[in-house]
Amino acid sequence: MTVSSTVAPPARNGVRTRPWVRFGARRLGRLLVSLWVLVTASFAMIHLIPGDPVRGALGPTAPAELVAARRQALGLNDPIVTQYLHYLKGLFTGDLGTSLSSRLPVADVIAQRLPATLTLAVLAFVASVIVAIPLGVAMGVLTRRGHGRRTELTFTTTSIVVATIPDFLIGVALVYVFGVRLGWLPVAGNDTAAAYVLPVFSLAIGPAAILARIVRVELVGVLQADFVRTARAKRLPARTVYLGHALPNAVTAALTLCGLLLSAMVAGTVLVENVFAWPGLGSTIVQSILNKDYPVVQAIVLVYGIGVLVVNTVVDVVLARLDPRSLIRED
């Protein structure tokens, strides 16, 4: 009896940990494969451009000697396999190449511009969550059990319309109203706290509408569950029923969407930054495309892609922690 009681717990612990090991191996494998595809695609970008990218960056009047020297400095005269290996080595050592226009290391350009983009995306994400969750909960409570048909129709229609408007168009409208007509807020740069208001809300309004709809739908479904009826039968306060019991069980789908929204916000900064002359990666990549500065474009695309992959992986892990049954469903 003593031996069996001593041996059993480790066996059960092994059973419990095996799903997590398999989950971690799957997610790590997917992440590594996705990273390899992303890195390879970013490397191929400069080779898929029609013509000579160096000639395109320097212009048609640049001397042939200068073009040849730049090609040699970039290693574009080496065999394609050698270039790929040098590119991988540079990524691991932090060497992303040199800008064709400014002659600065691309890593320095990224380091200067990335914080502004991350700040804008994170603030917009926080603002959308702060607006969407209370709004979704309120609409869910008002429209539960088929009540408030007009309220539901108005909310659904409005949220769909708002969500379909591109972020940069919302930004242009906000600039016109609050910057040009009313003159309340600055419309360019990020020198003051007030300068953050318009670009943050330009990015946050659409995702907030989408997230509020998901929260409402999930909450309406949870409010019909047996454990919610039990909580009401115990005469618990409405605030406890909605926020303490119903809302935590309704956030799983919303959390999945939050990860996708954060990824979309990072990518959405490209156009919004150009509307507000924001000194981030979005405005830099557009300027680099216009200048045909392909090493900078290549690196920024890589940074955006890695950001999306990391966010999606983190969301998968968080969801697995909140709902361990997902580990079993994937086996």
Side-chain angles (χ1 to χ4, degrees):
M1 293 296 293
T2 304
V3 174
S4 62
S5 61
T6 304
V7 175
R12 288 194 297 268
N13 186 61
V15 171
R16 288 196 298 269
T17 57
R18 267 199 299 272
W20 278 105
V21 172
R22 290 194 293 269
F23 172 81
R26 284 194 302 269
R27 287 298 179 270
L28 180 60
R30 293 177 188 176
L31 179 61
L32 292 177
V33 171
S34 300
L35 285 174
W36 176 76
V37 172
L38 175 63
V39 168
T40 303
S42 66
F43 167 78
M45 178 188 303
I46 197 170
H47 298 278
L48 295 176
I49 299 170
D52 187 346
V54 177
R55 170 63 71 182
L58 297 179
T61 60
E65 296 80 5
L66 178 59
V67 174
R70 288 289 179 88
R71 286 187 59 85
Q72 184 65 31
L74 291 172
L76 295 178
N77 295 327
D78 298 333
I80 190 71
V81 176
T82 303
Q83 293 183 47
Y84 184 63
L85 294 177
H86 287 167
Y87 182 66
L88 294 179
K89 180 181 177 181
L91 292 181
F92 283 108
T93 59
D95 181 10
L96 300 177
T98 303
S99 169
L100 294 177
S101 57
S102 66
R103 302 299 297 163
L104 293 173
V106 175
D108 292 347
V109 176
I110 299 295
Q112 293 171 3
R113 299 290 183 145
L114 180 59
T117 295
L118 288 179
T119 301
L120 179 59
V122 171
L123 288 177
F125 175 74
V126 172
S128 65
V129 171
I130 291 175
V131 171
I133 291 182
L135 180 60
V137 171
M139 291 297 102
V141 173
L142 292 175
T143 59
R144 68 188 190 280
R145 296 180 181 176
H147 299 304
R149 290 291 186 182
R150 292 184 179 178
T151 302
E152 178 183 356
L153 180 60
T154 301
F155 170 73
T156 302
T157 303
T158 303
S159 61
I160 291 175
V161 171
V162 171
T164 56
I165 302 175
D167 297 333
F168 74 94
L169 287 183
I170 295 177
V172 170
L174 293 178
V175 166
Y176 177 74
V177 175
F178 295 100
V180 178
R181 298 287 295 179
L182 300 177
W184 289 354
L185 295 167
V187 297
N190 64 343
D191 298 330
T192 62
Y196 283 78
V197 175
L198 294 183
V200 165
F201 275 94
S202 298
L203 278 174
I205 289 176
I210 298 173
L211 186 58
R213 286 185 60 209
I214 297 299
V215 172
R216 187 201 74 83
V217 171
E218 292 296 315
L219 189 67
V220 168
V222 170
L223 289 177
Q224 299 174 0
D226 292 337
F227 70 91
V228 174
R229 287 195 288 267
T230 302
R232 285 175 175 158
K234 294 180 179 179
R235 299 186 180 275
L236 296 178
R239 179 177 179 179
T240 302
V241 173
Y242 295 137
L243 301 183
H245 291 75
L247 183 59
N249 289 276
V251 297
T252 302
L255 183 60
T256 304
L257 183 62
C258 282
L260 299 176
L261 290 179
L262 181 56
S263 301
M265 284 179 180
V266 174
T269 57
V270 173
L271 295 178
V272 172
E273 285 184 8
N274 284 275
V275 172
F276 294 95
W278 193 265
L281 291 181
S283 57
T284 302
I285 192 173
V286 171
Q287 191 62 41
S288 298
I289 292 173
L290 295 176
N291 294 335
K292 298 182 179 180
D293 195 345
Y294 299 117
V296 176
V297 176
Q298 192 177 42
I300 294 178
V301 168
L302 189 62
V303 170
Y304 275 122
I306 291 175
V308 171
L309 292 177
V310 170
V311 169
N312 290 339
T313 301
V314 171
V315 170
D316 285 343
V317 173
V318 172
L319 286 175
R321 294 292 299 176
L322 292 177
D323 185 12
R325 292 172 299 178
S326 61
L327 300 178
I328 301 174
R329 286 196 295 266
E330 291 191 9
D331 288 337

